[in-house]
């Protein structure tokens, strides 16, 4: 029994490592959107083609909550508008932080072509509403 437990633990760790490696060491939100840390202050959300703005917010809030442990009343700020990724090859990314743009170190600070606007913010809890938008509109 002890051998089986050790094997299961090793297998679980290996699977976890493979999942992180396949996502570039990043995080995949509940909506299937890739989130990758840029540094200690900034994380980058890379959406799929034809995404909507809600995809960015949903993934940013999910990451802030589940990976960073932010409470529902914490603010998530846009610190870099949409454009090419800085840590991924995704052409449609935006950068977020739990710190305001003027304080977050290492953000692009770009305005972006569409999507969440530089300087805007939402509470982590309110981003859950963006996760509830009709999923069919996300990837159609």
């Amino acid at each position: 029994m002890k051998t089986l437990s050790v094997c299961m633990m090793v297998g679980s760790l290996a699977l976890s490592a493979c999942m992180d490696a396949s996502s570039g060491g990043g995080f995949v939100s509940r909506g299937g959107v890739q989130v990758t840390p840029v540094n200690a202050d900034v994380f980058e959300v890379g959406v799929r083609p034809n995404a909507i703005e809600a995809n960015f917010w949903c993934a940013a809030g999910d990451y802030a909550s589940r990976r960073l442990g932010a409470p529902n009343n914490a603010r998530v700020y846009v610190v870099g508008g949409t454009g090419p990724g800085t840590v991924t090859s995704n052409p449609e990314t935006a950068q977020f932080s739990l710190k305001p743009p003027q304080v977050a170190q290492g953000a692009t600070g770009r305005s972006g072509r569409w999507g969440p606007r530089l300087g805007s913010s939402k509470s982590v809890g309110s981003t859950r509403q963006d996760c509830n938008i009709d999923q069919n509109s996300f990837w159609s």
Side-chain angles (χ1 to χ4, degrees), residues 9 22 26 34 49 55 64 75 83 101 103 113-114 120 123-124 126 140:
M9 185 168 45
S22 69
Q34 178 76 34
N55 296 132
R75 303 298 295 178
V103 180
R113 300 182 305 263
W114 68 281
S120 59
S123 70
V124 170
S126 72
S140 56

Side-chain angles (χ1 to χ4, degrees), residues 15-78:
L15 180 59
S16 175
C18 288
M19 289 172 66
D20 278 345
S22 69
S23 63
F27 171 91
V28 178
S29 75
R30 292 183 176 148
V33 176
Q34 178 76 34
V35 182
T36 309
V38 173
N39 60 34
D41 287 354
V42 178
F43 53 96
E44 195 166 79
V45 175
V47 297
R48 297 175 184 169
N50 300 318
I52 59 174
E53 184 175 336
N55 296 132
F56 286 105
W57 284 111
C58 174
D62 193 22
Y63 180 83
S65 176
R66 293 195 304 136
R67 181 60 60 97
L68 300 179
N72 282 337
N73 64 344
R75 303 298 295 178
V76 179
Y77 297 90
V78 178

